[in-house]
Amino acid sequence: MTTSQTVLITGANRGIGLEYVRQYAQEGKTVYATVRDMAQAVELQSLAANYARIHLLALDIADISAIQALARELSDVSIDILISNAGAYPPSRFGKTDPQTWLQTFQINTLTTYYLAEAFLPHLQRSDQAKLIAMTSKMGSMTDNSSGGEYIYRSTKTALNMVVKSLSLDLQPFNIIVAALHPGWVRTDMGGPNGLIDTKTSVAGLRKVIAGLDRAQSGEFIAYDGKLVPW
């Protein structure tokens, strides 16, 4: 078990983000966990109270200047795994989409991964095995879309996938592996109660995928079970 690695996780107050924090802390990694509203992160704070290696940080992921400020705050930290997990899923269908919500969701689901990569590049460069992970969704797959609808969420995740692909090429000279991961249909506040798997199963699979990523897989779209997802 590697105990010296450091992981930065956004959107860590619930669901998949919270489970990432739990499992990586149990594995012995140092975890920096960000949340927008610390007062609402009761379960995360309880978890952090049991692990000295968990560090809680307030961050509004939609605020680019806040991302940059956090990078400066952590200027001396080497990051081995950066997981861009925070996201939003506003319902939408044909004839029922709000343009302002659409733009705000692009900010959260798409732009933030790019600006995290830009701001935390120096931190990732200090690692000899850095990995930048964007949590995406099969709902962003054009090939897989057979039901339509959900215009806002689908389009922002499809755009995120393209950001990941470009980052995988632009960060190649820095030996940083970049991947877009699909967590499966998980029973969370976002995924709903009918999800096929729980967060523990999803994150256990995702961690296995992340641990096994090599440079040949940089830029790929991969599910929690290790299978490639069609674009």
Side-chain angles (χ1 to χ4, degrees):
M1 180 179 69
T2 300
T3 59
S4 59
Q5 283 196 323
T6 297
V7 185
L8 173 64
I9 303 164
T10 67
N13 63 309
R14 62 183 182 178
I16 291 169
L18 179 63
E19 188 61 27
Y20 262 131
V21 175
R22 178 181 289 108
Q23 291 193 24
Y24 273 129
Q26 290 173 344
E27 193 179 74
K29 288 179 169 53
T30 297
V31 180
Y32 288 88
T34 80
V35 295
R36 184 173 59 86
D37 185 353
M38 197 66 70
Q40 297 295 319
V42 177
E43 191 172 353
L44 177 62
Q45 291 188 59
S46 177
L47 180 63
N50 294 318
Y51 291 93
R53 62 180 65 94
I54 297 177
H55 305 276
L56 304 186
L57 303 161
L59 175 66
D60 180 354
I61 202 68
D63 184 345
I64 295 169
S65 64
I67 292 174
Q68 296 165 340
L70 181 61
R72 291 192 295 270
E73 180 183 339
L74 301 179
S75 60
D76 295 330
V77 176
S78 172
I79 295 176
D80 300 287
I81 303 171
L82 194 164
I83 302 176
S84 180
N85 170 71
Y89 186 171
S92 61
R93 57 187 175 84
F94 186 71
K96 294 289 184 180
T97 61
D98 175 65
Q100 190 59 42
T101 299
W102 206 333
L103 290 172
Q104 290 171 346
T105 307
F106 262 113
Q107 179 76 33
I108 296 168
N109 288 359
T110 309
L111 274 65
T112 54
T113 293
Y114 170 81
Y115 285 105
L116 282 165
E118 195 176 68
F120 285 93
L121 176 59
H123 310 65
L124 292 164
Q125 283 183 273
R126 295 193 190 97
S127 171
D128 59 3
Q129 49 187 332
K131 296 172 182 179
L132 172 60
I133 305 300
M135 295 307 302
T136 185
S137 171
K138 188 183 286 188
M139 288 186 71
S141 165
M142 297 179 72
T143 303
D144 187 71
N145 186 357
S146 60
S147 60
E150 302 300 347
Y151 289 89
I152 294 177
Y153 188 72
R154 286 187 187 279
S155 63
T156 58
K157 289 300 186 178
T158 302
L160 171 60
N161 292 346
M162 183 58 80
V163 168
V164 167
K165 183 62 178 180
S166 287
L167 284 173
S168 72
L169 299 171
D170 289 339
L171 300 186
Q172 194 172 50
F174 305 109
N175 295 317
I176 298 172
I177 297 170
V178 186
L181 300 190
H182 166 58
W185 186 9
V186 188
R187 292 189 293 274
T188 63
D189 289 346
M190 183 179 290
N194 298 320
L196 301 178
I197 57 174
D198 58 19
T199 57
K200 183 176 180 180
T201 301
S202 174
V203 172
L206 291 164
R207 284 175 44 247
K208 184 177 180 180
V209 171
I210 293 169
L213 284 174
D214 59 27
R215 305 202 187 286
Q217 294 173 295
S218 194
E220 290 188 343
F221 187 2
I222 309 171
Y224 78 99
D225 58 4
K227 296 178 181 177
L228 289 178
V229 181
W231 297 107

